[in-house]
Amino acid sequence: MIRDLLERITHDAPPPPRTDTEPVLEPSPYLHVTDSAIHNPMTDRNLGADDEELHALLALIRGERTLDDLDPALCRRMREDGWIYDPRNLEDLTRGYYLKYVSLEAHTVCNQSCYFCPVSVAPREHHFMPMETYRDILSQLTAYKSTIEAVFMISYNEPTLDKRFVEQVRSIKEAGLPPATLTNGSGLTPDRVDALVELGGLRFLSINLSTLDRRKYAEDRGQDQVDVVLKNLEHARDKPVAEQMDIVVLGPGDDRHQSDFEEIQERFRDSRFTVKHFVVNDRAGLLQVGMSKHVPDKRLRGCDLVGSRPIQHLHIDPYGRCILCCQDYHGSHVVGDLNESTVEEVLTGPEMRRMRKMVYGLEDAPADFICRNCHFAITE
């Protein structure tokens, strides 16, 4: 309902008269509109159907009310909260961000070659980030601890293969940041589980386990490791390894996938793990599996992959480069380099600002732009 109304208003209503002295307020171009709410990733806030701001916002867009008609306090609040803005200040707006998730990949190594992962078709050369660099990045991230909900120790690597894994968790916690990891579980040994518990646990732990069947596991992942993984998970199942402990069952969404999910769910029913069902995606067209999307001609209007990637995420590879999105396996969209710039300079720099414009349709993206092949792209 709200989505349809906003789209109709945006396309059909004539623009209000503009002067050089009075601002003409418009909806922020970064708003995510659904049938029941409007979300602003720049502030990580939502407006629901019962919110005064939502109805005032729609009335302004429809031309039913003007800025002068609104209660001054309400109007001021809407501007301060980022629901409306003066289009003449667009360049300032593109510098904005709300850093919520960080991916800090300390190395490139993985010990599996899952069919749903690009590692299976293009394994990377081994490289390990020096701990000095790792800690320097963490020290910079402390400036954002009030908004960061997780520092993920993974992108396309297997974080538990690093001999420094527990040390890295300790470093993240000492920086006052919430450590999180996704892992296939093969290196999450009982000793490491106990060490994590002693450290106070992770903020988030997700185990990628697609089946209990040994033959199918080896076919899907190129390694016969399910017995090792299950041994590790049995040790961890009742321990506070993380505030949130998930087992993600990835698959193509067929009957076998559902059956594997139900078997894993039953095995870990009385544990600390929550078992979740997820369909694989094609990694923005890189793989021929699962969910896909190809929108070369549609206008891009945002990103909805665990929040907004250009506004709420920072992806750091083992070389210190910052990449637009986790879907960008080959690092084609570099937004900065922490060997040359600070975290703040990357977040507010020209490349990140340009990416925000293209992801949200404020600048026309080229045909090969990653979002044009991404299942999570918002389009119109």
Side-chain angles (χ1 to χ4, degrees):
M1 177 180 64
I2 295 175
R3 180 195 295 273
D4 293 340
L5 181 58
L6 186 55
E7 289 183 353
R8 178 174 60 79
I9 293 166
T10 302
H11 290 295
D12 297 343
R18 183 184 298 268
T19 70
D20 293 333
T21 58
E22 296 183 1
V24 178
L25 301 181
E26 298 180 0
S28 167
Y30 297 119
L31 300 184
H32 292 195
V33 183
T34 68
D35 289 338
S36 58
I38 297 178
H39 176 70
N40 188 348
M42 283 286 187
T43 60
D44 203 39
R45 293 186 58 189
N46 293 294
L47 289 179
D50 296 330
D51 289 311
E52 182 182 16
E53 293 91 340
L54 182 138
H55 297 287
L57 174 63
L58 294 180
L60 281 173
I61 301 170
R62 286 197 300 261
E64 296 175 354
R65 304 178 73 181
T66 68
L67 189 62
D68 292 335
D69 296 327
L70 295 181
D71 176 76
L74 173 62
C75 184
R76 183 171 58 253
R77 187 166 71 245
M78 291 174 66
R79 292 193 68 179
E80 291 174 350
D81 292 345
W83 301 110
I84 55 180
Y85 85 116
D86 184 344
R88 292 174 296 185
N89 297 329
L90 177 61
E91 288 303 314
D92 291 336
L93 187 64
T94 63
R95 293 185 178 90
Y97 60 88
Y98 187 99
L99 187 57
K100 193 173 181 180
Y101 306 107
V102 176
S103 171
L104 179 54
E105 189 182 31
H107 66 87
T108 60
V109 185
C110 188
N111 60 342
Q112 295 188 353
S113 55
C114 306
Y115 75 91
F116 46 78
C117 176
V119 172
S120 64
V121 296
R124 296 177 294 176
E125 293 184 6
H126 292 187
H127 178 79
F128 289 79
M129 176 183 288
M131 280 301 296
E132 181 181 1
T133 303
Y134 194 86
R135 292 193 181 98
D136 177 67
I137 293 172
L138 291 174
S139 70
Q140 294 185 57
L141 292 174
T142 60
Y144 312 92
K145 65 171 64 176
S146 64
T147 60
I148 291 177
E149 294 190 3
V151 176
F152 286 95
M153 305 168 66
I154 184 172
S155 184
Y156 287 96
N157 61 333
E158 171 47 51
T160 63
L161 292 183
D162 199 325
K163 295 179 180 179
R164 309 166 299 174
F165 175 70
V166 174
E167 180 185 356
Q168 290 161 354
V169 173
R170 181 181 294 108
S171 296
I172 297 172
K173 293 181 76 73
E174 287 176 349
L177 297 165
T181 195
L182 288 70
T183 171
N184 60 36
S186 62
L188 196 65
T189 61
D191 286 346
R192 280 184 165 162
V193 166
D194 294 344
L196 293 178
V197 173
E198 186 176 347
L199 285 173
L202 305 169
R203 167 62 188 88
F204 176 73
L205 170 66
S206 179
I207 308 295
N208 180 344
L209 177 64
S210 51
T211 183
L212 299 178
D213 182 84
R214 182 175 177 181
R215 180 188 59 79
K216 186 173 184 296
Y217 187 97
E219 288 179 354
D220 287 350
R221 297 164 176 269
Q223 293 290 339
D224 181 7
Q225 294 180 321
V226 70
D227 291 343
V228 172
V229 171
L230 291 175
K231 178 182 177 181
N232 292 342
L233 297 188
E234 288 299 332
H235 182 80
R237 63 179 295 149
D238 298 319
K239 299 185 182 329
V241 188
E243 294 176 35
Q244 180 178 341
M245 297 167 57
D246 291 348
I247 294 176
V248 173
V249 183
L250 285 170
D254 58 9
D255 290 343
R256 177 59 191 268
H257 182 196
Q258 180 64 27
S259 175
D260 285 328
F261 165 72
E262 292 172 358
E263 289 179 5
I264 294 172
Q265 188 177 50
E266 179 61 30
R267 175 154 183 164
F268 291 94
R269 182 174 301 279
D270 298 322
S271 72
R272 287 179 176 266
F273 287 108
T274 299
V275 181
K276 298 182 177 180
H277 180 285
F278 280 91
V279 176
V280 298
N281 73 84
D282 67 352
R283 298 292 175 181
L286 185 58
L287 304 173
Q288 301 301 310
V289 298
M291 298 182 296
S292 62
K293 189 173 187 176
H294 184 55
V295 287
D297 302 322
K298 290 189 176 182
R299 182 183 178 189
L300 297 173
R301 287 301 302 268
C303 168
D304 196 23
L305 178 51
V306 191
S308 171
R309 294 287 156 161
I311 294 174
Q312 297 186 326
H313 289 249
L314 181 65
H315 297 273
I316 307 165
D317 75 8
Y319 300 93
R321 298 175 303 181
C322 298
I323 312 301
L324 171 63
C325 177
C326 68
Q327 302 287 67
D328 186 10
Y329 179 68
H330 293 297
S332 301
H333 299 78
V334 177
V335 296
D337 189 335
L338 294 181
N339 298 294
E340 303 171 355
S341 307
T342 65
V343 168
E344 178 68 13
E345 287 169 343
V346 171
L347 291 172
T348 60
E351 283 305 311
M352 184 67 93
R353 290 164 57 196
R354 179 169 169 262
M355 293 298 170
R356 290 180 187 128
K357 289 180 181 179
M358 289 197 293
V359 172
Y360 282 85
L362 299 170
E363 179 178 314
D364 192 34
D368 61 350
F369 189 54
I370 190 168
C371 297
R372 295 200 179 280
N373 287 303
C374 183
H375 172 77
F376 302 98
I378 302 172
T379 60
E380 68 172 25

